Amino acid sequence: MIRIAFFDTKSFDRVPFDTFGKQYEVEYVFFESRLNEETAQLAKGFDGVCAFVNDPVNKKIIDILYENGVRLLLLRSAGFNHVDIKAAFGKIHVYRVPAYSPYAIAEHAMALLLTANRRIHKAYIRTREYNFSLNELMGVDLHEKVIGVVGTGKIGKVFVNICKGFGMHVLAYDKYPDPNLDVEYTELDDLFMRSDFISLHCPLTDENRYMIDSSAIQKMKKGVGIINTSRGGLVKGEDLLEGIKQRHIGFVCLDVYEEEGDIFFEDKSGHILDDDVLRNLIAMPNVIVTSHQAFLTREALNNIAETTTKNAVDYFNGGSNQNEICYHCTDIKNCRKARKEKCF
Ligand code: NAI
């Protein structure tokens, strides 16, 4: 039996992970605390650890895990920008779940766009108080509007199709455009200038941090709607706030936020939120924040649990697995995975 210390457990994790654990002979021991420098010691004696998307797995944590005999880190997320991949190399093998349901995220992005455009979030609150006024609830037809999609990978492609279903014109920007995708690819600045709505679906990297800042916002159409279900660091929160105050941005939908780490996934009601930018964003009538829930569908959770469990089994069976990641992965010449070997 492979034993995994499972950190940052949420109520929705236990059933799928227990189910697939039993099927593949992996025992998950669930800890509610996040994986951090204090809790990393709990992993002693386990065969591996499983971390969530906001557990910052830095060099120090990697060293503590390594000293405690851990050689396997299972990420139950697609993104891995929260892990110091370079520090892990040679010590701890890192696996992720590259795809679990692009539909979950793409559909959530469209749900946000529809909600913000048609002010459903306002109408919901009003009618609960028997306020049936229509003032300030007007949206626009999505039909024939221009949507700018940044990143046309798995999620971006599903989102493109959803938008086409609404009769929207899709502009796209990707560092590596897909020649088989039926969209109008363009430069990022052109996308900023021409889009009525912009939705982000690319990973966060050092080069695209703050892709949307004040200078990008100034290039956008007045009244633009911005949807970010990708990573918080792609957008500069202060600049977003400024763009809203200037009435330049029409609405903002955020499922991710740069400083979400200590806030999202927690019940902070009754507490004073120290983050002024997030507090001010939430206070705006044309901002919708969901707390990194785009992935949260039954299908996605089952796929996450099954792939994570299989990743653990593959590691101990010694086979190569395309879900292993290391900092050589982008360098095809040095990528051992391409030769069907483990990363180190
Ligand atoms: P993917 O790897 O299939 O696609 C990413 C696309 O972005 C690729 O086409 C790539 O060429 C492109 N890209 C890379 N760097 C770029 C740049 N600087 N500018 C423009 N395009 C660039 O990834 P997938 O599965 O579509 O996921 C996209 C992102 O969605 C993830 O990186 C993650 O940050 C986010 N995500 C959010 C979730 C949520 O619950 N809110 C859940 C899962 C993923």
Side-chain angles (χ1 to χ4, degrees):
M1 186 68 102
I2 299 165
R3 291 185 76 241
I4 303 292
F6 193 101
F7 286 89
D8 209 356
T9 308
K10 310 293 174 210
S11 56
F12 49 76
D13 288 320
R14 292 177 192 255
V15 170
F17 277 91
D18 270 341
T19 305
F20 287 102
K22 280 196 187 92
Q23 203 173 316
Y24 291 94
E25 301 201 346
V26 175
E27 185 194 352
Y28 289 104
V29 175
F30 297 105
F31 297 107
E32 288 192 4
S33 48
R34 289 174 62 186
L35 177 59
N36 57 37
E37 288 166 25
E38 283 77 48
T39 60
Q41 304 280 355
L42 290 169
K44 190 174 183 146
F46 282 90
D47 298 308
V49 299
C50 184
F52 198 26
V53 68
N54 283 334
D55 295 333
V57 191
N58 56 27
K59 182 175 179 328
K60 194 146 186 214
I61 293 176
I62 285 164
D63 287 342
I64 298 170
L65 292 174
Y66 185 73
E67 280 157 22
N68 282 288
V70 173
R71 301 290 179 265
L72 171 65
L73 171 61
L74 300 165
L75 306 178
R76 47 187 198 277
S77 58
F80 53 90
N81 52 291
H82 55 299
V83 181
D84 188 337
I85 295 291
K86 220 164 188 172
F89 190 78
K91 291 181 176 163
I92 295 183
H93 292 265
V94 184
Y95 291 77
R96 67 175 181 136
V97 184
Y100 38 87
S101 171
Y103 310 103
I105 296 97
E107 288 170 11
H108 191 75
M110 181 46 93
L112 288 171
L113 167 51
L114 288 169
T115 305
N117 174 43
R118 302 304 296 269
R119 318 289 196 264
I120 306 292
H121 56 305
K122 306 300 282 177
Y124 171 78
I125 291 168
R126 277 189 199 180
T127 54
R128 286 180 72 82
E129 294 188 346
Y130 311 127
N131 173 355
F132 300 103
S133 147
L134 296 182
N135 291 341
E136 311 292 334
L137 295 187
M138 192 170 67
V140 294
D141 288 1
L142 295 189
H143 183 73
E144 292 191 343
K145 292 294 178 302
V146 179
I147 177 99
V149 179
V150 182
T152 52
K154 292 177 283 298
I155 296 168
K157 282 192 177 76
V158 175
F159 187 71
V160 163
N161 279 335
I162 293 173
C163 292
K164 284 186 177 174
F166 278 84
M168 303 181 85
H169 178 76
V170 183
L171 277 183
Y173 169 75
D174 195 298
K175 227 179 139 189
Y176 308 100
D178 180 347
N180 298 316
L181 190 64
D182 180 22
V183 290
E184 182 187 345
Y185 276 109
T186 184
E187 290 306 315
L188 191 56
D189 276 357
D190 189 51
L191 181 146
F192 287 156
M193 285 187 281
R194 291 170 56 200
S195 300
D196 297 301
F197 310 103
I198 295 170
S199 191
L200 303 183
H201 300 288
C202 60
L204 173 65
T205 61
D206 287 340
E207 73 177 338
N208 68 8
R209 184 172 291 277
Y210 301 145
M211 169 186 271
I212 295 192
D213 60 5
S214 57
S215 96
I217 291 167
Q218 289 317 312
K219 289 172 195 151
M220 293 176 193
K221 281 188 183 175
K222 191 166 161 49
V224 64
I226 300 172
I227 305 111
N228 187 9
T229 55
S230 201
R231 283 294 176 266
L234 293 168
V235 177
K236 193 153 191 214
E238 292 92 338
D239 294 1
L240 217 46
L241 201 53
E242 201 45 46
I244 294 166
K245 284 201 231 162
Q246 289 170 358
R247 279 56 171 181
H248 190 86
I249 296 176
F251 65 77
V252 168
C253 305
L254 302 176
D255 186 54
V256 285
Y257 175 67
E258 188 177 16
E259 303 297 334
E260 70 181 51
D262 289 327
I263 303 171
F264 282 17
F265 306 126
E266 304 298 332
D267 181 356
K268 296 280 181 189
S269 54
H271 293 251
I272 290 167
L273 204 58
D274 289 322
D275 187 319
D276 291 346
V277 175
L278 182 60
R279 215 183 39 241
N280 286 335
L281 281 169
I282 289 172
M284 294 291 179
N286 52 352
V287 173
I288 298 177
V289 175
T290 53
S291 38
H292 209 139
Q293 75 171 75
F295 74 99
L296 198 58
T297 67
R298 188 177 302 125
E299 291 79 2
L301 279 175
N302 281 336
N303 289 337
I304 290 169
E306 184 168 26
T307 304
T308 303
T309 308
K310 283 181 172 171
N311 286 345
V313 171
D314 278 357
Y315 170 76
F316 284 101
N317 284 348
S320 89
N321 175 322
Q322 291 302 303
N323 300 338
E324 185 176 6
I325 41 168
C326 77
Y327 75 102
H328 285 313
C329 286
T330 50
D331 170 8
I332 201 74
K333 270 192 239 132
N334 280 315
C335 181
R336 292 170 55 132
K337 207 166 61 178
R339 304 196 297 267
K340 299 211 179 319
E341 294 171 19
K342 280 187 177 172
C343 286
F344 58 90

